[in-house]
Amino acid sequence: MHNAKCTCWNCPAINLAGKVDFRACGQSIKQFDKTADATEETHIMAECKRRPELGLFNPMDITFEECPQWRKSPYGYMLKDMRVMILGIDGYLGWTLALWLGSLGFKVSGVDNYNRREWVKERGAQTIVPISRMNERLHAAREVLDLNMDFRQIDIYSERERLKEFVDEVKPESVVHYAECPSAPFSMIDVEHAIEVQKNNVLGTLAALFTMRDIVPETSMVKLGTMGEYGTPLTGRPIFEGLFPADAVLQWDDREWSLGGEIVPRDPASFYHVSKVQDTFNCYEACKYWWLRSYDVMQGVIFGVHTDQLASDPRLRTRLDIDECFGTVINRFVAQAVAGIPLTLYGLGKQIRGYIALRDAMECMTRLICSPPEPGQYAVVNQVSGIYSTRQLAYEVAKTGREEFGLPVEIQRVENPRVEADEHPFEVLHERLPKQFEFEAKVSVADEIRRMFELFLTDEVKSRIEERRQVIMPRTWWSGVKKEVERLELLELKDELHDEEQLYKVNG
Ligand code: USQ
């Protein structure tokens, strides 16, 4: 199992004691290797909050597989009854993860300020999959899955004291940070929206980091970043996992420097993506100054509706947005196919992105929660399971819609309201999740598209899509102009074209 050999050094249940030198942050674990004569005067020692009878000991002494508090699970060794707090538990990902973790035996708590519900409402849109109020959702989770989740309505930035009190009460052993506005177009509407997104995201993250420093410094923060921080380097330079590998070299002016361990350059594509870049630096600094530990999860574009828990009862479903601001591209394409709107490819439709299905993203998060970084470690994973152009995805949706659901799906190219390269090289490294954490993607794009059609074609969801069809076409231009995009071309869907445009994986 991927985390069998991790030691108490990685475990959130320890208190650090002995010779803890906070200036040593970022030092490699090697410097604290076990030695026979380790004492609290000479070495970092640990006390276990769960097993106080151990007294002071060297944190390298006990591995997860040796510790009775860590149990085997499908996703690695898992800390028994591990307490996970989800910031943003009411959202598309937050609610899905809460049910997923709860079903695995984690003790789940969460906070939310319901901003997402308000932002979507403000755009005149709605989740096409109906969701109920939080207390009804919690009630259903109890009834159907026997889960008792502890929830508080808290804004993590403006209600910092309440957040502190809740964290102090729960003492989470992992904090998942999903409490951010996830929309590039929303941040580009006008100055008010740009400020709202950056305030919510950057200041909320800072508040969460300070809270963790003060109350649960041994707890890891699993923070949702985005592949969009990196942009699409036009030189074709590979997109490394957050930090340059040790052998990366910069050559210039007949001289040479190592780039190993430096944060790779960012080229964000909207004021939203800029907020995530700022978060990266804030998390990185918090790890450096205070020995916090964090995974920055550079997630690709997410899609899908399915996990076993979400499907177990209609009251447990997660939200699903399809408007120009909050709908991600595959989810939007399937809704467009159902609404009889030709799928909207922006520009050439040759933008390449990393993608991951909802269920697979949950599995990745679980593996990361179960394998916390070392104290002071800021680590990055690129969380994608396939690399596709938007054109390939549109063809896949059109093909499935036509052949399996008998829908007359068409594809159009429309003006691109965003400022982004619509033809560019793209080489993403996404090796850590499969190699270090033994993650293997389980959900294919084709299968998830099929599931989405099945759900979207049910009477209730279909009529909610129809009700809000006016929010589907984009009107938010990066230039600030507000006008609906115009069609550039209606693509002809020939059978041969289907074969040419088959989904493929560029790498990985
Ligand atoms: N696109 C279309 N047609 C549409 C909608 C989008 O061609 O109807 C194109 C966009 O121009 C873009 C690509 O599809 O090139 C992806 O767009 P998106 O809206 O699905 O995703 P994006 O705005 O990039 O943002 C989403 C999430 C965000 C996350 C990001 C990961 O909303 O939270 O950060 O995916 S990534 O794209 O890797 O940056």
Side-chain angles (χ1 to χ4, degrees):
M1 288 212 159
H2 65 97
N3 56 353
K5 300 291 175 211
C6 289
T7 64
C8 304
W9 184 238
N10 297 77
C11 180
I14 58 161
N15 280 323
L16 291 176
K19 190 178 163 22
V20 179
D21 176 2
F22 282 87
R23 290 163 308 168
C25 166
Q27 285 182 348
S28 140
I29 193 167
K30 294 278 175 295
Q31 293 180 252
F32 305 115
D33 263 352
K34 184 162 86 174
T35 52
D37 58 351
T39 70
E40 60 201 275
E41 276 78 49
T42 58
H43 279 73
I44 289 185
M45 307 294 278
E47 286 168 308
C48 179
K49 288 178 250 191
R50 290 180 172 229
R51 298 165 73 199
E53 69 277 7
L54 294 178
L56 272 184
F57 61 98
N58 184 323
M60 306 302 165
D61 277 353
I62 306 169
T63 61
F64 287 3
E65 67 183 342
E66 289 162 352
C67 176
Q69 293 291 317
W70 286 84
R71 302 274 171 85
K72 275 188 181 166
S73 85
Y75 308 114
Y77 280 87
M78 175 185 140
L79 189 56
K80 202 169 66 178
D81 297 329
M82 186 176 190
R83 299 184 298 277
V84 182
M85 181 177 284
I86 301 174
L87 311 179
I89 195 174
D90 188 46
Y92 174 56
L93 299 173
W95 181 247
T96 309
L97 187 66
L99 299 185
W100 171 280
L101 292 178
S103 301
L104 285 168
F106 290 85
K107 297 285 167 236
V108 178
S109 58
V111 304
D112 207 291
N113 57 7
Y114 301 131
N115 269 356
R116 173 64 171 266
R117 294 187 187 228
E118 292 306 315
W119 291 326
V120 170
K121 205 177 336 158
E122 180 219 292
R123 302 318 297 155
Q126 67 179 0
T127 161
I128 57 158
V129 175
I131 57 170
S132 39
R133 297 157 64 90
M134 184 49 101
N135 55 3
E136 289 158 32
R137 296 183 116 180
L138 294 171
H139 178 76
R142 210 162 20 246
E143 203 178 281
V144 180
L145 299 174
D146 197 22
L147 303 183
N148 280 304
M149 297 189 281
D150 200 354
F151 171 77
R152 297 293 151 81
Q153 181 181 346
I154 294 176
D155 182 295
I156 61 172
Y157 159 62
S158 64
E159 297 178 292
R160 298 189 285 285
E161 277 312 308
R162 293 193 58 225
L163 177 67
K164 265 190 169 178
E165 281 163 27
F166 191 41
V167 170
D168 200 25
E169 189 183 316
V170 174
K171 298 267 174 22
E173 292 162 309
S174 180
V175 170
V176 174
H177 183 12
Y178 277 155
E180 298 196 87
C181 176
S183 171
F186 191 76
S187 73
M188 301 302 294
I189 293 172
D190 55 24
V191 63
E192 302 305 332
H193 288 81
I195 289 173
E196 167 79 359
V197 172
Q198 293 212 353
K199 186 184 87 182
N200 184 83
N201 294 1
V202 177
L203 304 185
T205 301
L206 262 185
L209 289 168
F210 272 84
T211 304
M212 289 179 68
R213 179 197 72 169
D214 293 346
I215 302 178
V216 282
E218 301 81 18
T219 292
S220 65
M221 176 188 270
V222 185
K223 156 86 177 64
L224 192 68
T226 165
M227 285 296 300
E229 287 185 31
Y230 306 121
T232 53
L234 292 178
T235 56
R237 169 183 58 69
I239 296 177
F240 297 103
E241 300 202 72
L243 309 169
F244 280 112
D247 54 358
V249 164
L250 171 67
Q251 285 181 329
W252 180 72
D253 194 26
D254 288 336
R255 287 177 289 165
E256 207 174 271
W257 295 266
S258 166
L259 289 176
E262 289 189 20
I263 290 186
V264 302
R266 271 30 188 181
D267 186 12
S270 70
F271 290 123
Y272 150 71
H273 287 99
V274 173
S275 74
K276 294 283 199 160
V277 173
Q278 175 78 51
D279 289 343
T280 282
F281 282 96
N282 285 341
C283 289
Y284 180 78
E285 296 305 315
C287 293
K288 200 159 86 185
Y289 306 150
W290 309 323
W291 275 33
L292 289 192
R293 33 182 122 188
S294 172
Y295 283 122
D296 211 346
V297 181
M298 301 301 172
Q299 185 172 272
V301 186
I302 190 106
F303 62 94
V305 285
H306 183 83
T307 64
D308 288 346
Q309 300 79 37
L310 295 176
S312 64
D313 189 287
R315 293 169 296 164
L316 294 181
R317 289 218 166 270
T318 195
R319 62 176 308 119
L320 201 286
D321 296 294
I322 58 159
D323 60 288
E324 69 153 329
C325 285
F326 292 97
T328 52
V329 65
I330 304 183
N331 296 355
R332 274 168 59 75
F333 283 169
V334 180
Q336 291 168 354
V338 168
I341 297 172
L343 315 189
T344 52
L345 277 180
Y346 295 171
L348 290 175
K350 294 189 176 176
Q351 300 92 318
I352 305 170
R353 298 283 183 275
Y355 290 83
I356 187 161
L358 185 60
R359 184 229 165 264
D360 286 340
M362 297 301 110
E363 177 172 335
C364 291
M365 296 298 281
T366 312
R367 289 176 181 274
L368 296 174
I369 291 166
C370 288
S371 190
E374 300 161 17
Q377 189 184 2
Y378 164 84
V380 180
V381 295
N382 288 346
Q383 184 173 276
V384 303
S385 61
I387 315 282
Y388 312 107
S389 74
T390 47
R391 200 179 262 253
Q392 290 174 309
L393 297 168
Y395 275 99
E396 188 67 20
V397 171
K399 188 164 173 257
T400 308
R402 282 168 171 247
E403 291 173 7
E404 298 183 35
F405 296 90
L407 298 168
V409 187
E410 293 185 298
I411 302 176
Q412 58 181 328
R413 288 203 307 110
V414 298
E415 294 171 301
N416 191 346
R418 305 182 179 199
V419 175
E420 63 181 0
D422 49 10
E423 203 166 14
H424 56 87
F426 199 65
E427 186 182 338
V428 174
L429 276 87
H430 48 108
E431 294 178 344
R432 291 192 77 190
L433 277 162
K435 289 193 180 154
Q436 188 180 334
F437 301 99
E438 294 168 3
F439 163 71
E440 229 177 90
K442 310 279 186 313
V443 184
S444 73
V445 172
D447 287 345
E448 195 60 23
I449 287 175
R450 199 167 299 119
R451 281 192 206 272
M452 280 197 265
F453 270 115
E454 280 159 9
L455 180 65
F456 293 9
L457 284 166
T458 57
D459 290 344
E460 188 179 25
V461 178
K462 191 165 179 226
S463 69
R464 287 173 72 91
I465 297 173
E466 291 293 345
E467 267 168 41
R468 301 301 159 107
R469 53 186 296 129
Q470 80 281 1
V471 300
I472 290 179
M473 290 305 283
R475 285 183 186 76
T476 304
W477 292 69
W478 266 221
S479 61
V481 166
K482 302 280 177 287
K483 71 171 169 71
E484 190 165 307
V485 297
E486 285 185 18
R487 177 180 295 175
L488 300 172
E489 185 187 5
L490 193 64
L491 299 185
E492 267 188 72
L493 285 169
K494 298 203 189 93
D495 283 345
E496 315 90 74
L497 214 50
H498 282 172
D499 294 336
E500 277 173 29
E501 301 285 349
Q502 286 287 330
L503 283 187
Y504 66 95
K505 284 192 174 184
V506 176
N507 58 12

